[in-house]
């Protein structure tokens, strides 16, 4: 029993070393092997969860590499594999939302971003992307709501521009208010 646990820990360390060296396919294979071993040994979720977490990290790294190479469908596939593991990692859902936004699957982007924000309501990049998705769907009321939340959370922006955008929305011009708030929260070089 002790030897078995030592062997699993040794294999996990090996997989993490592979992951850190960018050997994603080998790390994925090793991590899947560890999961199989733990399943055969009837180990509970407490033993499996760290392995699932690292496997999700592996899929995220593989997806990031594909995203860098503009293989959007491949990246989406890897991110979805990571999400299917059930580790509730907001970054995976953010990445799914980002890719879905780029391939114009706005409903899927909204769904993934909602999941990311449910796991981390202070996830600024997810909230900004959600506002953009709502803007593309011409749901300016929801886009403005996201910007208001960012303002309430104290996210850095031009305060005068923020107030101007809020004033337009107060007058019922949601689209104009959205455009101003979007400019307010854009990242500056």
């Amino acid at each position: 029993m002790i030897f078995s646990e030592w062997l699993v820990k040794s294999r996990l360390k090996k997989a993490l070393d592979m992951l850190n060296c960018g050997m994603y396919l080998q790390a994925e294979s090793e991590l899947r092997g560890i999961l199989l071993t733990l399943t055969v040994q009837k180990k509970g979720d407490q033993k499996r969860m760290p392995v699932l977490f690292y496997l999700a990290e592996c899929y995220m790294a593989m997806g990031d590499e594909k995203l860098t190479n503009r293989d959007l469908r491949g990246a989406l596939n890897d991110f979805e594999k990571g999400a299917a593991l059930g580790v509730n990692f907001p970054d995976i859902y953010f990445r799914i939302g980002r890719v879905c936004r780029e391939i114009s699957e706005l409903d899927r982007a909204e769904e993934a971003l909602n999941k990311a924000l449910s796991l981390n309501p202070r996830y600024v990049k997810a909230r900004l992307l959600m506002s953009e998705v709502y803007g593309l769907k011409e749901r300016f009321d929801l886009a403005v709501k996201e910007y208001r939340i960012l303002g309430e959370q104290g996210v850095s922006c031009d305060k005068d521009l923020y107030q101007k955008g809020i004033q337009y929305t107060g007058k019922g011009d949601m689209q104009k208010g959205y455009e101003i708030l979007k400019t307010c929260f854009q990242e500056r070089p």
Side-chain angles (χ1 to χ4, degrees):
M1 185 67 151
I2 293 173
F3 177 73
S4 170
E5 286 185 32
W6 174 83
L7 185 60
V8 168
K9 285 181 182 177
S10 173
R11 289 178 65 194
L12 184 57
K13 183 185 179 323
K14 177 182 173 186
L16 294 178
D17 288 343
M18 289 175 187
L19 184 58
N20 288 331
C21 291
M23 300 168 59
Y24 306 127
L25 293 175
Q26 296 89 333
E28 175 193 17
S29 177
E30 189 66 30
L31 289 164
R32 287 198 165 282
I34 295 168
L35 279 176
L36 181 60
T37 299
L38 292 173
T39 301
V40 168
Q41 293 176 357
K42 297 183 180 174
K43 298 291 182 184
D45 286 344
Q46 186 178 11
K47 296 279 185 184
R48 294 168 43 103
M49 208 56 186
V51 179
L52 290 171
F53 175 81
Y54 290 123
L55 188 56
E57 285 271 336
C58 183
Y59 284 128
M60 224 166 48
M62 290 166 55
D64 285 343
E65 191 172 277
K66 289 176 183 164
L67 193 58
T68 299
N69 295 325
R70 302 298 299 157
D71 177 7
L72 299 178
R73 292 287 176 188
L76 182 59
N77 184 45
D78 287 336
F79 296 146
E80 287 177 334
K81 282 181 186 177
L85 297 172
V87 294
N88 286 334
F89 198 38
D91 288 344
I92 291 175
Y93 295 101
F94 169 73
R95 283 169 168 83
I96 291 170
R98 190 170 84 191
V99 172
C100 286
R101 189 286 176 223
E102 286 199 38
I103 60 176
S104 298
E105 292 186 14
L106 300 180
D107 290 337
R108 284 180 69 194
E110 180 182 351
E111 182 181 326
L113 293 167
N114 269 325
K115 179 70 175 180
L117 289 167
S118 74
L119 295 169
N120 181 1
R122 298 189 67 83
Y123 198 154
V124 173
K125 287 184 178 183
R127 198 160 299 281
L128 286 169
L129 186 57
M130 179 67 94
S131 184
E132 181 183 337
V133 167
Y134 284 143
L136 290 169
K137 292 175 82 172
E138 297 185 5
R139 294 295 315 270
F140 301 115
D141 56 329
L142 295 175
V144 166
K145 179 182 170 198
E146 296 300 323
Y147 285 131
R148 282 181 177 263
I149 292 170
L150 289 168
E152 291 165 6
Q153 290 178 345
V155 174
S156 177
C157 71
D158 180 322
K159 298 298 180 197
D160 292 333
L161 205 52
Y162 179 81
Q163 288 304 320
K164 185 177 178 182
I166 297 300
Q167 286 173 350
Y168 272 97
T169 63
K171 294 175 186 174
D173 192 346
M174 289 295 187
Q175 185 172 358
K176 180 72 173 174
Y178 163 75
E179 293 298 333
I180 292 170
L181 291 169
K182 181 178 174 182
T183 303
C184 175
F185 284 101
Q186 283 179 338
E187 289 186 38
R188 290 157 186 54

